[in-house]
Amino acid sequence: MRTFIAVVIASLTALAALAIAQPTVPDVPFHDALRGTAPLDTEPKPPLMAPTENKDVIRGLNYAQQPPTIPHKIDNYQVDKNANRCLACHARSRVEESGAVPVAISHYMDRDGSVSGHLSPRRYFCTQCHVPQADTKLLIGNTFVAVEDIRQQPASKKQKR
Ligand code: HEC
Ligand code: HEC
């Protein structure tokens, strides 16, 4: 019995030593697109806020069904349970006056696909899906290719992007 306990204690000690010996921090300099090289336990100086791109030029879509990005500023546009500033220009009844693109017909459909005379509640909070863009350089690279573009590329080019 004694030897058994001794063996158990010995193996537990060995295991504990192993666990302590495991390296927890990878041996590469820390770098993060947002934090730079500031270690996780420090608070880096935040970068300046980039201005919102406000060119009023409709941007292309990266894939079918993408909610288009907002090509204008939305500072101080109220969107809450009392008011929706976006609809003041984008509602189908307002676009003649505002010159804005009317909200898509999908925004009048409920989840069963029935179209009603008013905006569907699930489309009320526009910025859940539509976002303005900052006039700044990309934080990280992006090699996204829409599925329809993949299908159009000749086979030799597919891996290269
Ligand atoms: C004062 C009127 C006005 C208001 C308010 C407004 N927009 Fe716009 N919006 C426009 C106009 C006009 C365009 C057409 C492009 C341009 O001139 O900027 C546009 C374009 C857009 C587009 C691009 C559509 C496309 O087909 O690419 C989106 C998305 C959009 N707005 C979303 C919003 C959202 C979301 C809000 C509220 C946070 C909002 N807009 C508030 C006038 C407005
Ligand atoms: C749940 C996500 C979602 C919400 C919320 C939403 N949209 Fe959209 N919106 C989309 C998608 C996806 C498209 C593009 C596909 C389509 O036409 O339905 C789109 C298209 C649009 C377009 C372009 C229409 C066109 O004919 O090119 C406008 C303008 C727009 N939305 C405005 C708004 C406004 C204003 C609100 C808030 C009242 C809003 N959207 C809320 C997802 C959303």
Side-chain angles (χ1 to χ4, degrees):
M1 191 63 190
R2 278 237 186 110
T3 27
F4 175 69
I5 294 173
V7 168
V8 169
I9 290 176
S11 26
L12 281 179
T13 324
L15 268 178
L18 254 181
I20 293 166
Q22 289 295 318
T24 47
V25 181
D27 196 21
V28 282
F30 176 78
H31 186 265
D32 176 82
L34 269 174
R35 299 182 60 85
T37 51
L40 286 175
D41 57 354
T42 62
E43 197 168 321
K45 194 164 169 274
L48 292 176
M49 299 253 279
T52 303
E53 210 179 86
N54 195 28
K55 295 188 183 142
D56 286 337
V57 178
I58 286 177
R59 303 186 189 94
L61 300 179
N62 293 315
Y63 57 95
Q65 298 296 319
Q66 180 202 318
T69 53
I70 308 176
H72 55 71
K73 280 189 177 173
I74 58 164
D75 297 356
N76 304 322
Y77 284 175
Q78 186 179 352
V79 180
D80 57 24
K81 84 175 175 31
N82 301 317
N84 187 318
R85 183 76 178 92
C86 313
L87 287 176
C89 292
H90 283 281
R92 297 203 150 239
S93 54
R94 303 300 287 271
V95 293
E96 201 177 329
E97 209 179 313
S98 66
V101 190
V103 293
I105 194 69
S106 56
H107 296 41
Y108 292 82
M109 274 181 204
D110 66 16
R111 62 182 173 188
D112 301 320
S114 322
V115 181
S116 66
H118 56 83
L119 188 88
S120 171
R122 64 194 184 135
R123 301 284 184 155
Y124 184 82
F125 292 106
C126 318
T127 49
Q128 261 177 277
C129 304
H130 299 283
V131 285
Q133 299 291 292
D135 196 359
T136 181
K137 70 176 188 355
L138 296 178
L139 282 173
I140 51 168
N142 186 340
T143 54
F144 177 82
V145 183
V147 69
E148 56 270 30
D149 294 341
I150 294 179
R151 287 176 51 219
Q152 277 165 14
Q153 278 174 21
S156 59
K157 273 198 165 176
K158 273 181 193 164
Q159 289 307 314
K160 289 193 180 148
R161 292 183 72 152

